[in-house]
Amino acid sequence: MLVIAVHGSSAPGAGATIARLVRALDRPALIAHLDVQRPSLADVLAKNPGAVVVPLLLGEGYHRRVDVPAVARRFHCTVTAGLAGEPDVARAVHDRLLAAGGPGDAIVVAGAGSTRPHGNDGTRSVARELSAAHPDIPVLDAYCSAAHPSVRDRVEQLHRAGFRRITIATHLLAPGRFTHALDAIRETTPGVHAVSTPIADHPLLARLVLNRYESVRPEVLAA
C-alpha cells in the first residue's frame, strides 16, 4: 500500500488540495497526517503494516528525519526520500509563480522554515532554480517560521532597496496558517505584487510521489 504522509491542517481547502493530488495518482493511496488531522500516521500504518510511506514534505526537518521514520519502524514500513531538492518541485513553484502574474522585479521564495540542519535546503534549492530561470532579478529565500530571514523582513529589505513588484513564490504544499500569513503580507506590506498558490495539486507533484513509490525495490513492495 502507498501511504502519503502529510503534515495536516485545519484550514479550509487543505484537504481538498491533497485529495486532488491523490486523484491524480491513478492508483490506490492512503493519506496519513502528522499533526492536527486524523487519521494519524500511526493509525494508518497499524492497519497497513509493510506499507511504503512517501513523506509529502518539502524539507528535511524533524518530521522527515525523526518522527516519520520512527513510526514507520514500528510497523515494518519503508520510508522513501522526501521531496526536498527535486527539480520538479522547483518547476511546480515556477509554474504557480507565472500563473500568479509573473516574477515582477524580485522574487521571495517562501518556505515553511526549520531549525534543523539541512531543514531549509529545499527552499534554498528552489531559490537557486528560480534564480537560474530569472537571472536578471534578485531571487531570495525566506521563511514563515523557525528560520531567518522571515518573509516579511525579506520583502521589506527588497522594498527599501527600490523594488516595487515583488512576487512571493510559495514553497508550501497546501493552504494553511502559513499561506494565510503570506496573504496578510501581500495585503499589508508595500511592494508585494502577487503571492503564488501552493503546489501539492500540481501534476508534477503527483508524478514525483509515484516515482518515489516505484523506486522502492520490488521485493520490498511485495513484502
Side-chain angles (χ1 to χ4, degrees):
M1 176 58 70
L2 165 58
V3 174
I4 302 173
V6 304
H7 185 274
S9 172
S10 59
T17 301
I18 300 301
R20 287 192 291 273
L21 165 66
V22 172
R23 287 196 296 271
L25 296 175
D26 197 29
R27 65 151 295 117
L30 300 174
I31 295 297
H33 303 93
L34 305 175
D35 199 2
V36 182
Q37 291 174 278
R38 295 286 182 177
S40 69
L41 181 61
D43 292 340
V44 172
L45 297 189
K47 296 177 182 178
N48 297 274
V52 175
V53 180
V54 178
L56 195 71
L57 300 169
L58 297 178
E60 293 291 311
Y62 176 82
H63 285 310
R64 167 68 188 91
R65 290 291 189 176
V66 179
D67 63 344
V68 171
V71 174
R73 281 193 295 270
R74 289 165 50 194
F75 302 102
H76 309 289
C77 295
T78 300
V79 180
T80 73
L83 308 184
E86 280 291 333
D88 276 349
V89 170
R91 294 185 186 109
V93 172
H94 190 231
D95 283 352
R96 294 286 158 90
L97 172 73
L98 297 178
D105 59 8
I107 300 170
V108 173
V109 180
S114 172
T115 59
R116 293 186 64 82
H118 308 295
N120 299 313
D121 286 357
T123 301
R124 296 187 186 109
S125 175
V126 171
R128 288 192 297 270
E129 294 283 347
L130 295 190
S131 182
H134 301 280
D136 297 329
I137 65 174
V139 181
L140 304 175
D141 62 313
Y143 304 94
C144 298
S145 176
H148 297 285
S150 71
V151 177
R152 188 179 296 276
D153 286 349
R154 191 69 103 179
V155 168
E156 291 175 347
Q157 170 195 344
L158 287 166
H159 190 255
R160 288 194 300 270
F163 296 95
R164 295 296 181 265
R165 288 175 58 83
I166 304 161
T167 300
I168 298 175
T170 301
H171 183 233
L172 300 168
L173 289 163
R177 64 187 180 95
F178 291 154
T179 59
H180 294 164
L182 296 182
D183 288 338
I185 291 171
R186 178 187 58 192
E187 294 167 1
T188 61
T189 308
V192 178
H193 163 59
V195 178
S196 63
T197 56
I199 63 170
D201 55 354
H202 191 286
L204 288 174
L205 269 290
R207 185 177 76 180
L208 184 53
V209 168
L210 281 177
N211 287 345
R212 286 286 192 263
Y213 174 73
E214 292 168 355
S215 70
V216 177
R217 299 190 310 274
E219 60 268 27
V220 175
L221 289 177

